[in-house]
C-alpha cells in the first residue's frame, strides 16, 4: 500500500515511516462502474484517493441535471475542500469503470497530522499546490467561456 500512496501527490514527500502511519488509517474499497463513490450533499468526512480507475465528478444544476466537472484517474484525490470547511460534498463522484479507492477518514488523518508537525507541513504544502493547480484550470475554463460568450453576442 505504501507504493500506492506514494503515487498520490499529497504523499510524495512522505518518508517510508510516514507512509506506513498513513496506511494504518486507510480504508480500501472498490466501486463498480456507474456506482457513486460519494454523493453531492453527503457529509464530507474523508479524503478519497483513486488507487486505480476513473471517477467522473458531477454537480447537479438548478434543473437537477448532472453536469460534468472533471474526470480523475489513478493517483488523484478528492475531498480536500471538506478537510478545511467540514462541510457537505459539493459534487458527486461516479466510477466510469470498476475502480479501487482509498478512503482516509478526516478524524484519523487530523489526529495523525496534529501529532507530527513535519508530516503536517508536507501534507498541507502539497495540498496547497494541488488547490492552486485546480484554480488555475478553473481560471482557464472561465476565460475560455467568457471569450466564447463574447464571440456569440
Amino acid at each position: 500500500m505504501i507504493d500506492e500512496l506514494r503515487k498520490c501527490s499529497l504523499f510524495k514527500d512522505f518518508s517510508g515511516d510516514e507512509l506506513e502511519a498513513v496506511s494504518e488509517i486507510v480504508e480500501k474499497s472498490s466501486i463498480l462502474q456507474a456506482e457513486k463513490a460519494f454523493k453531492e450533499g453527503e457529509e464530507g468526512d474523508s479524503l478519497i484517493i483513486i488507487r486505480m480507475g476513473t471517477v467522473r465528478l458531477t454537480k447537479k444544476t438548478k434543473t437537477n441535471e448532472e453536469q460534468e466537472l472533471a474526470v480523475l484517474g489513478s493517483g488523484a484525490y478528492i475531498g480536500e475542500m471538506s478537510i478545511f470547511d467540514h462541510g457537505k460534498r459539493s459534487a458527486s463522484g461516479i466510477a466510469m469503470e470498476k475502480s479501487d479507492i482509498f478512503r482516509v477518514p478526516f478524524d484519523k488523518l487530523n489526529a495523525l497530522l496534529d501529532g507530527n508537525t513535519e508530516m503536517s507541513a508536507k501534507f498541507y504544502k502539497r495540498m496547497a499546490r494541488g488547490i492552486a493547480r485546480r484554480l488555475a484550470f478553473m481560471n482557464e475554463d472561465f476565460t475560455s467561456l467568457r471569450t466564447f460568450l463574447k464571440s456569440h453576442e
Side-chain angles (χ1 to χ4, degrees):
M1 180 185 307
I2 289 174
D3 289 335
E4 293 170 315
L5 284 172
R6 195 180 308 277
K7 291 176 186 173
C8 177
S9 64
L10 292 175
F11 304 111
K12 282 195 186 294
D13 300 328
F14 277 35
S15 70
D17 288 343
E18 291 168 335
L19 289 169
E20 181 64 36
V22 173
S23 73
E24 292 176 9
I25 63 170
V26 167
E27 301 167 1
K28 298 181 202 176
S29 63
S30 293
I31 49 176
L32 301 175
Q33 182 177 8
E35 186 178 353
K36 289 190 176 179
F38 56 92
K39 296 176 187 167
E40 182 177 348
E42 283 182 338
E43 193 67 35
D45 62 354
S46 59
L47 182 69
I48 296 170
I49 301 166
I50 304 169
R51 185 177 146 236
M52 186 181 308
T54 311
V55 174
R56 183 170 70 104
L57 299 180
T58 64
K59 180 152 185 70
K60 289 192 178 186
T61 65
K62 290 180 182 179
T63 59
N64 216 26
E65 294 176 61
E66 296 272 333
Q67 179 68 45
E68 183 176 295
L69 299 175
V71 175
L72 302 174
S74 302
Y77 59 90
I78 311 158
E80 67 277 12
M81 288 172 30
S82 293
I83 200 168
F84 295 110
D85 69 6
H86 307 288
K88 307 261 186 227
R89 299 262 185 218
S90 63
S92 294
I94 304 163
M96 296 182 70
E97 60 189 325
K98 182 182 179 288
S99 299
D100 296 325
I101 60 173
F102 291 148
R103 288 185 188 277
V104 186
F106 288 143
D107 58 343
K108 293 178 181 178
L109 178 62
N110 287 328
L112 181 64
L113 295 176
D114 288 348
N116 187 323
T117 55
E118 186 178 332
M119 189 186 322
S120 182
K122 291 176 190 178
F123 179 83
Y124 287 113
K125 185 177 181 181
R126 283 284 182 173
M127 183 165 283
R129 285 181 185 160
I131 291 170
R133 243 186 342 268
R134 289 183 183 178
L135 283 172
F137 287 133
M138 285 178 51
N139 288 344
E140 285 297 319
D141 287 348
F142 182 74
T143 301
S144 296
L145 178 60
R146 285 189 65 119
T147 301
F148 173 80
L149 291 174
K150 278 188 174 187
S151 70
H152 288 81
E153 286 181 344

PDB file of all heavy atoms in Angstrom, residues 90-107:
ATOM      1  N   SER A  90     -19.560  18.853  -2.289  1.00  0.00           N
ATOM      2  CA  SER A  90     -20.082  19.816  -3.265  1.00  0.00           C
ATOM      3  C   SER A  90     -20.342  19.185  -4.618  1.00  0.00           C
ATOM      4  O   SER A  90     -20.873  19.829  -5.517  1.00  0.00           O
ATOM      5  CB  SER A  90     -19.099  20.982  -3.424  1.00  0.00           C
ATOM      6  OG  SER A  90     -17.869  20.518  -3.941  1.00  0.00           O
ATOM      7  N   ALA A  91     -19.976  17.918  -4.775  1.00  0.00           N
ATOM      8  CA  ALA A  91     -20.160  17.216  -6.043  1.00  0.00           C
ATOM      9  C   ALA A  91     -20.301  15.725  -5.752  1.00  0.00           C
ATOM     10  O   ALA A  91     -20.112  15.286  -4.618  1.00  0.00           O
ATOM     11  CB  ALA A  91     -18.963  17.468  -6.962  1.00  0.00           C
ATOM     12  N   SER A  92     -20.641  14.972  -6.796  1.00  0.00           N
ATOM     13  CA  SER A  92     -20.702  13.516  -6.702  1.00  0.00           C
ATOM     14  C   SER A  92     -19.542  12.936  -7.485  1.00  0.00           C
ATOM     15  O   SER A  92     -19.056  13.544  -8.448  1.00  0.00           O
ATOM     16  CB  SER A  92     -22.019  12.986  -7.293  1.00  0.00           C
ATOM     17  OG  SER A  92     -23.117  13.396  -6.520  1.00  0.00           O
ATOM     18  N   GLY A  93     -19.112  11.752  -7.108  1.00  0.00           N
ATOM     19  CA  GLY A  93     -18.067  11.033  -7.824  1.00  0.00           C
ATOM     20  C   GLY A  93     -18.596   9.701  -8.291  1.00  0.00           C
ATOM     21  O   GLY A  93     -19.002   8.866  -7.479  1.00  0.00           O
ATOM     22  N   ILE A  94     -18.616   9.497  -9.613  1.00  0.00           N
ATOM     23  CA  ILE A  94     -19.199   8.291 -10.207  1.00  0.00           C
ATOM     24  C   ILE A  94     -18.105   7.520 -10.938  1.00  0.00           C
ATOM     25  O   ILE A  94     -17.386   8.085 -11.773  1.00  0.00           O
ATOM     26  CB  ILE A  94     -20.326   8.662 -11.189  1.00  0.00           C
ATOM     27  CG1 ILE A  94     -21.370   9.519 -10.474  1.00  0.00           C
ATOM     28  CG2 ILE A  94     -20.947   7.414 -11.800  1.00  0.00           C
ATOM     29  CD1 ILE A  94     -22.293  10.271 -11.396  1.00  0.00           C
ATOM     30  N   ALA A  95     -17.974   6.240 -10.635  1.00  0.00           N
ATOM     31  CA  ALA A  95     -16.963   5.407 -11.291  1.00  0.00           C
ATOM     32  C   ALA A  95     -17.304   5.217 -12.761  1.00  0.00           C
ATOM     33  O   ALA A  95     -18.428   4.868 -13.105  1.00  0.00           O
ATOM     34  CB  ALA A  95     -16.867   4.060 -10.593  1.00  0.00           C
ATOM     35  N   MET A  96     -16.333   5.461 -13.623  1.00  0.00           N
ATOM     36  CA  MET A  96     -16.520   5.250 -15.055  1.00  0.00           C
ATOM     37  C   MET A  96     -16.152   3.817 -15.443  1.00  0.00           C
ATOM     38  O   MET A  96     -16.421   3.377 -16.558  1.00  0.00           O
ATOM     39  CB  MET A  96     -15.690   6.252 -15.847  1.00  0.00           C
ATOM     40  CG  MET A  96     -16.143   7.680 -15.601  1.00  0.00           C
ATOM     41  SD  MET A  96     -15.230   8.886 -16.543  1.00  0.00           S
ATOM     42  CE  MET A  96     -15.837   8.536 -18.196  1.00  0.00           C
ATOM     43  N   GLU A  97     -15.538   3.122 -14.516  1.00  0.00           N
ATOM     44  CA  GLU A  97     -15.154   1.717 -14.658  1.00  0.00           C
ATOM     45  C   GLU A  97     -14.986   1.192 -13.242  1.00  0.00           C
ATOM     46  O   GLU A  97     -15.005   1.975 -12.285  1.00  0.00           O
ATOM     47  CB  GLU A  97     -13.835   1.607 -15.430  1.00  0.00           C
ATOM     48  CG  GLU A  97     -12.680   2.329 -14.728  1.00  0.00           C
ATOM     49  CD  GLU A  97     -11.430   2.416 -15.572  1.00  0.00           C
ATOM     50  OE1 GLU A  97     -11.155   1.478 -16.324  1.00  0.00           O
ATOM     51  OE2 GLU A  97     -10.731   3.439 -15.460  1.00  0.00           O
ATOM     52  N   LYS A  98     -14.831  -0.105 -13.087  1.00  0.00           N
ATOM     53  CA  LYS A  98     -14.557  -0.618 -11.746  1.00  0.00           C
ATOM     54  C   LYS A  98     -13.305   0.092 -11.250  1.00  0.00           C
ATOM     55  O   LYS A  98     -12.297   0.149 -11.939  1.00  0.00           O
ATOM     56  CB  LYS A  98     -14.328  -2.122 -11.759  1.00  0.00           C
ATOM     57  CG  LYS A  98     -14.081  -2.693 -10.386  1.00  0.00           C
ATOM     58  CD  LYS A  98     -13.804  -4.193 -10.436  1.00  0.00           C
ATOM     59  CE  LYS A  98     -13.545  -4.737  -9.054  1.00  0.00           C
ATOM     60  NZ  LYS A  98     -12.266  -4.348  -8.479  1.00  0.00           N
ATOM     61  N   SER A  99     -13.398   0.667 -10.059  1.00  0.00           N
ATOM     62  CA  SER A  99     -12.304   1.463  -9.531  1.00  0.00           C
ATOM     63  C   SER A  99     -12.021   1.080  -8.084  1.00  0.00           C
ATOM     64  O   SER A  99     -12.935   0.792  -7.319  1.00  0.00           O
ATOM     65  CB  SER A  99     -12.644   2.958  -9.602  1.00  0.00           C
ATOM     66  OG  SER A  99     -12.854   3.356 -10.939  1.00  0.00           O
ATOM     67  N   ASP A 100     -10.750   1.081  -7.745  1.00  0.00           N
ATOM     68  CA  ASP A 100     -10.327   0.840  -6.372  1.00  0.00           C
ATOM     69  C   ASP A 100      -9.969   2.176  -5.755  1.00  0.00           C
ATOM     70  O   ASP A 100      -9.252   2.975  -6.369  1.00  0.00           O
ATOM     71  CB  ASP A 100      -9.113  -0.090  -6.336  1.00  0.00           C
ATOM     72  CG  ASP A 100      -9.436  -1.473  -6.875  1.00  0.00           C
ATOM     73  OD1 ASP A 100     -10.568  -1.947  -6.659  1.00  0.00           O
ATOM     74  OD2 ASP A 100      -8.557  -2.082  -7.508  1.00  0.00           O
ATOM     75  N   ILE A 101     -10.471   2.405  -4.566  1.00  0.00           N
ATOM     76  CA  ILE A 101     -10.219   3.686  -3.901  1.00  0.00           C
ATOM     77  C   ILE A 101      -9.726   3.466  -2.473  1.00  0.00           C
ATOM     78  O   ILE A 101      -9.952   2.407  -1.880  1.00  0.00           O
ATOM     79  CB  ILE A 101     -11.473   4.591  -3.887  1.00  0.00           C
ATOM     80  CG1 ILE A 101     -12.637   3.925  -3.145  1.00  0.00           C
ATOM     81  CG2 ILE A 101     -11.877   4.970  -5.308  1.00  0.00           C
ATOM     82  CD1 ILE A 101     -13.847   4.821  -2.938  1.00  0.00           C
ATOM     83  N   PHE A 102      -9.047   4.479  -1.982  1.00  0.00           N
ATOM     84  CA  PHE A 102      -8.669   4.555  -0.574  1.00  0.00           C
ATOM     85  C   PHE A 102      -9.489   5.673   0.039  1.00  0.00           C
ATOM     86  O   PHE A 102      -9.577   6.756  -0.522  1.00  0.00           O
ATOM     87  CB  PHE A 102      -7.189   4.914  -0.406  1.00  0.00           C
ATOM     88  CG  PHE A 102      -6.212   3.868  -0.830  1.00  0.00           C
ATOM     89  CD1 PHE A 102      -4.984   4.247  -1.350  1.00  0.00           C
ATOM     90  CD2 PHE A 102      -6.461   2.518  -0.690  1.00  0.00           C
ATOM     91  CE1 PHE A 102      -4.034   3.313  -1.723  1.00  0.00           C
ATOM     92  CE2 PHE A 102      -5.536   1.565  -1.068  1.00  0.00           C
ATOM     93  CZ  PHE A 102      -4.314   1.963  -1.583  1.00  0.00           C
ATOM     94  N   ARG A 103     -10.075   5.414   1.185  1.00  0.00           N
ATOM     95  CA  ARG A 103     -10.731   6.455   1.972  1.00  0.00           C
ATOM     96  C   ARG A 103      -9.839   6.734   3.177  1.00  0.00           C
ATOM     97  O   ARG A 103      -9.410   5.812   3.861  1.00  0.00           O
ATOM     98  CB  ARG A 103     -12.103   6.004   2.469  1.00  0.00           C
ATOM     99  CG  ARG A 103     -13.144   5.918   1.406  1.00  0.00           C
ATOM    100  CD  ARG A 103     -14.508   5.587   2.016  1.00  0.00           C
ATOM    101  NE  ARG A 103     -15.453   5.319   0.966  1.00  0.00           N
ATOM    102  CZ  ARG A 103     -16.127   6.243   0.298  1.00  0.00           C
ATOM    103  NH1 ARG A 103     -15.957   7.513   0.609  1.00  0.00           N
ATOM    104  NH2 ARG A 103     -16.962   5.922  -0.655  1.00  0.00           N
ATOM    105  N   VAL A 104      -9.582   8.005   3.404  1.00  0.00           N
ATOM    106  CA  VAL A 104      -8.775   8.404   4.549  1.00  0.00           C
ATOM    107  C   VAL A 104      -9.676   9.270   5.428  1.00  0.00           C
ATOM    108  O   VAL A 104      -9.913  10.437   5.112  1.00  0.00           O
ATOM    109  CB  VAL A 104      -7.515   9.194   4.116  1.00  0.00           C
ATOM    110  CG1 VAL A 104      -6.625   9.463   5.322  1.00  0.00           C
ATOM    111  CG2 VAL A 104      -6.750   8.451   3.015  1.00  0.00           C
ATOM    112  N   PRO A 105     -10.231   8.697   6.495  1.00  0.00           N
ATOM    113  CA  PRO A 105     -11.138   9.460   7.357  1.00  0.00           C
ATOM    114  C   PRO A 105     -10.440  10.690   7.943  1.00  0.00           C
ATOM    115  O   PRO A 105      -9.313  10.606   8.435  1.00  0.00           O
ATOM    116  CB  PRO A 105     -11.497   8.464   8.468  1.00  0.00           C
ATOM    117  CG  PRO A 105     -11.182   7.114   7.903  1.00  0.00           C
ATOM    118  CD  PRO A 105     -10.035   7.333   6.969  1.00  0.00           C
ATOM    119  N   PHE A 106     -11.112  11.836   7.861  1.00  0.00           N
ATOM    120  CA  PHE A 106     -10.518  13.087   8.320  1.00  0.00           C
ATOM    121  C   PHE A 106     -10.184  13.072   9.805  1.00  0.00           C
ATOM    122  O   PHE A 106      -9.172  13.628  10.213  1.00  0.00           O
ATOM    123  CB  PHE A 106     -11.418  14.282   8.004  1.00  0.00           C
ATOM    124  CG  PHE A 106     -11.459  14.638   6.550  1.00  0.00           C
ATOM    125  CD1 PHE A 106     -12.635  15.078   5.975  1.00  0.00           C
ATOM    126  CD2 PHE A 106     -10.341  14.550   5.747  1.00  0.00           C
ATOM    127  CE1 PHE A 106     -12.692  15.418   4.635  1.00  0.00           C
ATOM    128  CE2 PHE A 106     -10.376  14.889   4.409  1.00  0.00           C
ATOM    129  CZ  PHE A 106     -11.559  15.324   3.844  1.00  0.00           C
ATOM    130  N   ASP A 107     -11.022  12.453  10.618  1.00  0.00           N
ATOM    131  CA  ASP A 107     -10.724  12.452  12.050  1.00  0.00           C
ATOM    132  C   ASP A 107      -9.405  11.738  12.326  1.00  0.00           C
ATOM    133  O   ASP A 107      -8.574  12.220  13.102  1.00  0.00           O
ATOM    134  CB  ASP A 107     -11.876  11.859  12.865  1.00  0.00           C
ATOM    135  CG  ASP A 107     -12.235  10.425  12.476  1.00  0.00           C
ATOM    136  OD1 ASP A 107     -11.838   9.954  11.382  1.00  0.00           O
ATOM    137  OD2 ASP A 107     -12.925   9.765  13.273  1.00  0.00           O
TER     138      ASP A 107
END
